[in-house]
Amino acid sequence: MPQILDEAAVLAALSGLDNWTGDFKQIRRTLTAPDFPTAIRIVDVIAVAAEDMNHHPDIDIRWRTLHIALSTHDAGGVTSLDVELAADIDAIARQHGAK
Ligand SMILES: C[C@H](O)[C@H](O)[C@H]1CNC2=NC(N)=NC(=O)C2=N1
């Protein structure tokens, strides 16, 4: 299990991601897809990446808008797994024209 990142490490990680915010407990991003089917496709691609990592986000689906939250439940805060999956999510969003 990776170590929890401290506040400074989380802030440094956030600076390398697209529009993520948060703190040592959780990081969050909202993205908006071009349409609802694309939003669901994005969720599907994220699901495969998450399953491959055995690390899963919280996703709130509101029409074309996805609210995504990441933390490492087993560690009780943000770890490198969350930063890695956040970067993957950013790439998936870009590939599907989501902002
Ligand atoms: C047993 C299983 O490996 C664990 O529960 C995994 C599953 N996915 C997970 N996802 C997240 N976000 N945090 C975890 O600690 C976690 N643990």
Side-chain angles (χ1 to χ4, degrees), residues 38-83:
T38 304
I40 299 305
R41 274 194 288 275
I42 290 170
V43 171
D44 188 38
V45 177
I46 290 173
V48 172
E51 197 68 5
D52 287 350
M53 285 180 66
N54 189 33
H55 194 71
H56 306 83
D58 299 334
I59 303 175
D60 181 355
I61 302 170
R62 305 282 175 115
W63 184 29
R64 303 182 300 157
T65 298
L66 302 178
H67 300 285
I68 303 172
L70 285 166
S71 66
T72 303
H73 310 307
D74 295 346
V78 174
T79 71
S80 58
L81 291 172
D82 302 299
V83 177

Side-chain angles (χ1 to χ4, degrees), residues 3 9-10 12-14 20 35 51 54 63 70 74 83 88 93-94 97-98:
Q3 290 301 309
V10 173
L14 291 174
W20 288 80
D35 53 39
E51 197 68 5
N54 189 33
W63 184 29
L70 285 166
D74 295 346
V83 177
D88 289 348
R94 282 194 297 272

Side-chain angles (χ1 to χ4, degrees), residues 2-20:
Q3 290 301 309
I4 286 182
L5 300 177
D6 64 19
E7 195 84 30
V10 173
L11 291 178
L14 291 174
S15 67
L17 297 168
D18 296 342
N19 306 315
W20 288 80

Side-chain angles (χ1 to χ4, degrees), residues 32-34 38 42 92-99:
T32 302
T38 304
I42 290 170
I92 293 164
R94 282 194 297 272
Q95 287 156 11
H96 289 80
K99 300 273 184 268

